[in-house]
Amino acid sequence: MNIESKDILVTRSQLKENVLNNKRVIGYEKQRKQLLNLLKESIYAGESNSALLLGLRSVGKTLLVKSILQELQNDSFEKNAILVCLNGLIHTDDRLALKAITTQMNLDNAVDGKVFGSFAENLAFLLACLKSGSKETTKSIIFILEEFHLFCSHHNQTLLYNLFDVSQSAQTPICVLGITFQLEIIESLEKRVKSRFSHRQIFLSPKEDHTFEIDRRLKRIQNVLCLKPSTRLSKKYVNSWNRHIEDLIDDEKFHTFMQRVLEVDPGEQTLNNLMFLVVSQLNDRKTRLTLKDFEDQYQLLESEDIFRLIRDLSVLEVCLLIAMKHYIEINDTFTFNFEIILTRYNAFVNSHSNIQEFQRATVLKAFEHLQNLRLIGPVSGVGLSALQKEYQNFELLLPPEQIVEAIPKLNYLPTEVAQWATSDLI
């Protein structure tokens, strides 16, 4: 193996590690400062706090929290605090949540053999176990609740009530940070829970200034794909590689491409997946990254993501997507409403006796499921909220051609439905 081959293998390994482990967040400095101060107040000043971190999926909420915790853990975090991480997808009821809290607080032995009645008594005992008689030696507890909206569905919201209640008392100092994509989640809190919540909300959302967002994204790419000094690589090689990455990022065509990716999906996870796929292509015959590498891998990633979503849809939901595709193509428009799509769907069903006909309420539920999956989205407008939901305007969030590409892979579809996707007759 020659020197060039060794260098590129080391490069590929280091860049993969960068993609997987880099927790540096570009932008959101104001929100980062708010969260950092909030946690420091609990950890070092013994103050109790509660807050919600809100933002659309994949915008970087969890990444931001992890980067802050990483910074704090390098600053005597373990001596002053205990971190408890819960996830609404995993801890689906209070019993599972309590078990996870007990384990993460290393109190399994303390609770063994003791019998308590309510969840509140269990939680109170666990918190009391951390007290050692003086405030100076009492550790703060940081609760991170991911998928916070799912905890709101727990019976009587007991977990949230007790956590927020403790955060308002003079007991062990705790900080409760909920993370969710549901921006109006506070309205889902029960009255008694809401009264104990601090109502501190931190919003994480891309700026409307696309130039700022593109610059932020390009800086992140540069931060991940540039090599850092290494004993395994020569300084000359590192400098040469980094100049190559800088030239790629400065390319106007690369800017245009990243603008398109940003408009389709502003999420950090999609960008990370894309960079990982591109970096994985490096070998002794391919020693540099190009715009075409990003374009090819993004097309592959996009097709796989869309197929992964569509393959789990019901026949009815696929039919609605096809009806939407036909409508926007035939009428040269981007918007539609439920009534329009229902009419097209019924026309198709009435002309094919082998296709099952569903009641209006069932079709509406399928339409709403497509919205929940973000395959379609409401079009904002003045007075839109006053309309009945059947007449509100929506737009298709999938490129029509990608729907057509995915249809042949869905083996469960009736032949008539598969043929309808490529037909312009109905």
Side-chain angles (χ1 to χ4, degrees), residues 193-236:
V193 178
K194 191 183 298 185
S195 67
R196 285 161 174 77
F197 175 52
S198 69
H199 289 261
R200 184 184 286 106
Q201 301 177 73
I202 301 173
F203 292 90
L204 217 62
S205 59
K207 292 182 180 293
E208 295 183 0
D209 184 353
H210 280 262
T211 301
F212 174 87
E213 284 301 316
I214 281 294
D215 289 343
R216 187 175 73 85
R217 175 156 289 204
L218 293 175
K219 287 179 181 177
R220 175 161 178 75
I221 294 173
Q222 182 174 353
N223 180 63
V224 171
L225 297 185
C226 279
L227 294 171
K228 297 172 177 57
S230 169
T231 56
R232 303 173 65 189
L233 296 170
S234 68
K235 183 177 180 180
K236 180 180 179 180

Side-chain angles (χ1 to χ4, degrees), residues 162-344:
N162 283 279
L163 289 179
F164 288 150
D165 186 56
V166 172
S167 71
Q168 285 196 340
S169 70
Q171 300 179 44
T172 301
I174 73 170
C175 178
V176 183
L177 177 62
I179 304 174
T180 180
F181 69 92
Q182 293 190 7
L183 305 184
E184 304 297 331
I185 189 60
I186 195 170
E187 300 304 322
S188 300
L189 296 177
E190 293 183 359
K191 185 176 181 181
R192 63 171 190 153
V193 178
K194 191 183 298 185
S195 67
R196 285 161 174 77
F197 175 52
S198 69
H199 289 261
R200 184 184 286 106
Q201 301 177 73
I202 301 173
F203 292 90
L204 217 62
S205 59
K207 292 182 180 293
E208 295 183 0
D209 184 353
H210 280 262
T211 301
F212 174 87
E213 284 301 316
I214 281 294
D215 289 343
R216 187 175 73 85
R217 175 156 289 204
L218 293 175
K219 287 179 181 177
R220 175 161 178 75
I221 294 173
Q222 182 174 353
N223 180 63
V224 171
L225 297 185
C226 279
L227 294 171
K228 297 172 177 57
S230 169
T231 56
R232 303 173 65 189
L233 296 170
S234 68
K235 183 177 180 180
K236 180 180 179 180
Y237 177 87
V238 171
N239 290 338
S240 173
W241 175 270
N242 290 347
R243 283 195 301 271
H244 149 64
I245 294 299
E246 291 168 3
D247 290 342
L248 174 65
I249 292 175
D250 288 340
D251 188 341
E252 189 62 34
K253 292 182 179 179
F254 190 79
H255 281 226
T256 302
F257 167 72
M258 290 311 305
Q259 175 73 49
R260 181 168 70 87
V261 174
L262 181 65
E263 289 174 351
V264 173
D265 187 348
E268 295 289 339
Q269 189 58 53
T270 296
L271 178 60
N272 283 347
N273 292 343
L274 175 59
M275 288 192 289
F276 189 86
L277 288 174
V278 170
V279 166
S280 298
Q281 303 303 307
L282 291 172
N283 54 49
D284 55 355
R285 293 182 301 279
K286 179 170 185 52
T287 60
R288 288 291 185 265
L289 302 179
T290 66
L291 171 59
K292 189 175 186 306
D293 295 330
F294 279 85
E295 292 174 334
D296 290 347
Q297 295 304 317
Y298 181 68
Q299 185 176 10
L300 178 63
L301 187 65
E302 199 173 34
S303 298
E304 289 179 349
D305 285 345
I306 290 174
F307 175 65
R308 195 177 296 112
L309 284 173
I310 294 180
R311 71 180 180 186
D312 295 326
L313 298 180
S314 66
V315 174
L316 171 58
E317 290 162 345
V318 173
C319 285
L320 295 183
L321 284 180
I322 295 174
M324 296 168 192
K325 166 194 171 295
H326 283 320
Y327 179 78
I328 64 178
E329 288 181 340
I330 294 173
N331 295 278
D332 193 24
T333 183
F334 294 103
T335 62
F336 51 83
N337 60 39
F338 171 74
E339 291 295 336
I340 290 172
I341 301 306
L342 178 63
T343 300
R344 295 196 66 83

Side-chain angles (χ1 to χ4, degrees), residues 56-57 149 181-182 309 313 317 321 324 364-378 389 394-395 397:
L56 298 179
R57 285 198 182 280
H149 54 282
F181 69 92
Q182 293 190 7
L309 284 173
L313 298 180
E317 290 162 345
L321 284 180
M324 296 168 192
L364 179 58
K365 186 175 181 179
F367 187 90
E368 292 172 341
H369 186 226
L370 294 177
Q371 180 185 358
N372 293 335
L373 292 174
R374 297 188 183 180
L375 297 178
I376 62 174
K389 58 184 177 181
F394 283 81
E395 61 181 340
L397 301 181

